[in-house]
Amino acid sequence: MLDELTARKLLLDLVTARPRTRFSISALCRAGEIVGLSAPSIRMAAKRLNEQGVLERDGRGVYTPHPERLRAYPHIEHWATRHASRVPWTGRWAAVENSATARTARTTLRHHDRALQLLGFHTWRGALHVRPDNLSGGVDELRRTLTGTGMAPGAVVFAIDRLDPATDRELRGLWNTGDLIARLTRTADELTRSRERLGTLSPEEFAHESLLLGSRAISTILHDPLLPEELCDPGPHRHLVALTTAYQDTAQAVWGRLLGLDDDTGDTDPPE
């Protein structure tokens, strides 16, 4: 079953996929029509994103995207190359401890947990989260990235090494690598089947399907913790990235024709 699509999610998917394209409100409403969303819901979502600074209206019914104002955009922007940040693992671990944040600070904790998820951390022993220290830049770079994407102000980032063998085995077993590989493989198969159906679907049908599947594929890539080769085969991740890149190229071409968008020129169809 495909994921539920809201007006907000549709607009965010469009502007993060084409961050240099200016969108007329008529093009956005046309996108909503293609996926079964009403024009009023699209206009309301655009208005709220405008208030949040993600869409800037120039007064002529045209919106300029500013996806960089989204906390997670640095991750989304580089979804296709994030696997390149993986470096050989020395056996050391990176950890984040956050017992200082009150459990009642729900918004802070929600942003904190999302930041940890995007960096592949796994819960271990209460307020402690860990991951292998196998990403470029090590703990210092993790600290900078987490701080920029919502880590709680009172959290502490540090390295762990020289663990006893039993504890090291415990940490290595935190991730269900079978499920990780199955999810990557299943998503790759969905993209392959969708591209095979391209000739049997109308442009509108493929656009709708590709929006949902492409978004799911990118989310799957973003939530892969990029474990070291010693813990998980990197092949399925690389395979999904290659398939998703080609799939998104096809989908963006179809969406561009349907909405009358010029590729990254900043032009759209005339405003209403």
Side-chain angles (χ1 to χ4, degrees), residues 3 9 17 28 51-52 61 67 86 92 101 118 136 150 154 169 171 184 218 222 236 243 259 262 268:
D3 305 319
K9 187 176 188 311
L28 295 178
E51 292 168 351
Q52 296 166 16
R86 189 176 358 215
R92 191 167 80 160
T101 303
L118 286 170
S136 178
R169 285 194 298 273
L171 265 61
L184 292 164
I218 291 172
L222 288 172
L243 281 178
L259 302 185
D262 294 329
T268 66

Side-chain angles (χ1 to χ4, degrees), residues 75 78-89 119 131 134-138 141 221-222 224-229 234-235 237-239 241-242:
H75 297 279
H78 301 296
W79 65 265
T81 57
R82 68 185 296 266
H83 62 280
S85 67
R86 189 176 358 215
V87 297
W89 188 37
L119 268 296
R131 68 153 294 121
N134 70 313
L135 300 181
S136 178
E141 183 60 28
I221 291 166
L222 288 172
D224 184 334
L226 298 180
L227 299 174
E229 293 186 13
H237 180 100
R238 289 196 293 261
H239 179 59
V241 168

Side-chain angles (χ1 to χ4, degrees), residues 96-101 108 112 151-157:
V96 178
E97 197 280 335
N98 186 40
S99 59
T101 303
T108 298
H112 177 82
M151 182 176 68
V156 180
V157 184

Side-chain angles (χ1 to χ4, degrees), residues 20 90 169 190:
R20 294 182 296 278
T90 65
R169 285 194 298 273
E190 289 175 343

Side-chain angles (χ1 to χ4, degrees), residues 198 203-204 206-207 210 249-259:
L198 178 57
E204 290 81 3
F206 178 74
S210 69
D249 287 345
T250 301
Q252 287 303 313
V254 172
W255 273 103
R257 288 192 294 272
L258 288 172
L259 302 185

